[in-house]
Amino acid sequence: MYRKCHTNVRMIDTNKLPVIRKKIRPIAKQGPLESRRLWQHVTNSLKEGNIDAATEHKHRLEERQRAEERQRVALTTAWKPKYFAKEGDGWLYLNPLWKTH
């Protein structure tokens, strides 16, 4: 599976890797802010080929998120991400895979 390149860098031929399906919880068991739950209507509309409905769902979701941010600012409530920490100008993921395996 590994292949040596002329620069002594090992490369993986991803075409030879097995396909492993993702294991995800059903949407009904996901938290209210999990991506698949939040974006399910956008995803379903895109699968159906209904771009107008997908755009409308996306617009509503983003407007709700903007309203929530305006409310946090008005109440001076800081947003505390669950999985990320601010680091300089970017964000650091708190549970990278290389630390859990």
Side-chain angles (χ1 to χ4, degrees):
M1 185 171 1
Y2 285 101
R3 183 178 74 169
K4 283 264 195 177
C5 294
H6 67 279
T7 58
N8 221 13
V9 175
R10 294 195 304 180
M11 308 233 347
I12 297 175
D13 184 352
T14 57
N15 292 318
K16 295 181 181 179
L17 294 175
V19 174
I20 300 172
R21 293 191 50 83
K22 290 183 262 182
K23 295 179 184 178
I24 59 169
R25 287 186 311 237
I27 288 176
K29 292 185 177 183
Q30 292 183 10
L33 298 179
E34 290 191 55
S35 291
R36 287 184 189 271
R37 178 182 281 262
L38 287 174
W39 291 86
Q40 66 181 317
H41 301 298
V42 175
T43 301
N44 291 337
S45 295
L46 289 173
K47 285 180 180 177
E48 294 168 358
N50 190 339
I51 302 302
D52 292 334
T55 301
E56 180 58 31
H57 289 300
K58 178 179 179 287
H59 176 74
R60 276 191 252 147
L61 174 62
E62 290 173 337
E63 283 303 314
R64 188 179 96 201
Q65 290 173 334
R66 288 182 187 106
E68 290 167 353
E69 174 62 12
R70 284 190 297 272
Q71 184 178 18
R72 282 191 297 273
V73 169
L75 298 173
T76 62
T77 304
W79 173 253
K80 182 159 179 12
K82 185 174 183 178
Y83 298 108
F84 294 89
K86 185 80 168 151
E87 187 171 281
D89 291 334
W91 293 90
L92 179 65
Y93 182 56
L94 298 175
N95 297 308
L97 290 174
W98 64 85
K99 289 187 177 181
T100 60
H101 289 87

